[in-house]
């Protein structure tokens, strides 16, 4: 969609409603990745998407998502249209996640 029409606002509202148990409760985990965030852009594996002081917890969360093949996960890629071309190319982490 065009810039400024409310895509990001919609994403945040969706997250809040999911967190309050109002919508999409068939998903056990909702992860919104703000793709403008340099930490997210530099990620080389899904464990890098999770902030936690205990790296073991990050790795465990990522392994569980992979083990379940994403079942029960709703992944919102906020700002995908703003990603540099190289991060949207075939083989990039984001495209591997999207295409499975």
């Amino acid at each position: 969609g065009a810039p400024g029409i409310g895509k990001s606002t919609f994403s945040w509202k969706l997250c809040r409603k999911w967190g309050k148990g109002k919508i999409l409760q068939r998903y056990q985990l909702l992860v919104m990745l703000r793709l403008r965030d340099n930490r997210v852009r530099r990620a080389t594996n899904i464990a890098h998407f999770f902030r936690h002081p205990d790296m073991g917890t990050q790795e465990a969360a990522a392994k569980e998502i992979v083990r379940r093949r994403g079942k029960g996960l709703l992944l919102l890629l906020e700002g995908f249209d703003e990603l540099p071309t190289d991060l949207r190319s075939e083989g990039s982490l984001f495209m591997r996640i999207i295409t499975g």
Side-chain angles (χ1 to χ4, degrees):
I5 64 169
K7 298 180 302 288
S8 294
T9 300
F10 175 77
S11 296
W12 282 107
K13 285 182 180 181
L14 192 143
C15 289
R16 280 194 297 276
K17 285 185 178 186
W18 177 84
K20 292 179 180 181
K22 295 182 178 182
I23 61 170
L24 302 170
Q25 293 304 292
R26 67 182 171 269
Y27 297 101
Q28 291 83 42
L29 179 62
L30 185 148
V31 176
M32 183 166 94
L33 298 177
R34 299 193 72 204
L35 300 179
R36 286 182 215 91
D37 183 333
N38 284 329
R39 182 184 56 83
V40 172
R41 287 183 177 194
R42 288 190 308 264
T44 57
N45 65 60
I46 64 171
H48 295 153
F49 296 146
F50 301 100
R51 287 187 189 194
H52 196 283
D54 176 8
M55 185 58 168
T57 302
Q58 287 176 290
E59 293 293 333
K63 284 180 182 177
E64 183 63 15
I65 289 168
V66 170
R67 184 188 71 75
R68 295 181 58 161
R69 301 180 56 86
K71 184 177 180 181
L73 169 69
L74 177 58
L75 182 64
L76 299 177
L77 301 176
E78 191 265 330
F80 186 79
D81 56 333
E82 298 174 29
L83 269 180
T85 306
D86 63 316
L87 295 178
R88 285 186 278 148
S89 64
E90 190 174 330
S92 73
L93 175 61
F94 300 105
M95 293 309 291
R96 289 193 323 258
I97 289 170
I98 291 169
T99 59

